[in-house]
Amino acid sequence: MSLGPYASFIVTSYLAAAIVVAILIGWIMIDYRNQTGRLRELDKSGVTRRSGRSATELP
C-alpha cells in the first residue's frame, strides 16, 4: 500500500494524535489515583460525602 507523496505527513499526524491520546489517558489515570487518595483521606478524617446520604435524610 502506497501513501503517496504525503506519506511522512500522514504518518507524523497519526503519531502525534496517538501521543496526545496516550498523554490524556495517563493524565486521567494519575488524576483518578489522586482523587481516590483524597477521598480516602477525607473518609479517614470523618468527613462524609453528600452523595452517601439519602435524599430523605435531614442534615
Side-chain angles (χ1 to χ4, degrees), residues 9 14-15 17 24 32 45:
F9 174 76
Y14 275 99
L15 182 62
L24 289 173
Y32 177 77
S45 68

Side-chain angles (χ1 to χ4, degrees), residues 4-58:
Y6 302 107
S8 62
F9 174 76
I10 293 169
V11 171
T12 304
S13 297
Y14 275 99
L15 182 62
I19 289 171
V20 168
V21 169
I23 289 170
L24 289 173
I25 290 171
W27 183 8
I28 290 168
M29 291 171 58
I30 291 169
D31 187 53
Y32 177 77
R33 196 175 310 163
N34 289 339
Q35 291 294 326
T36 54
R38 287 181 189 167
L39 285 174
R40 245 183 268 114
E41 290 174 11
L42 289 173
D43 285 341
K44 285 180 185 177
S45 68
V47 175
T48 58
R49 291 184 252 172
R50 289 183 180 183
S51 61
R53 294 189 303 211
S54 169
T56 58
E57 290 181 31
L58 295 174

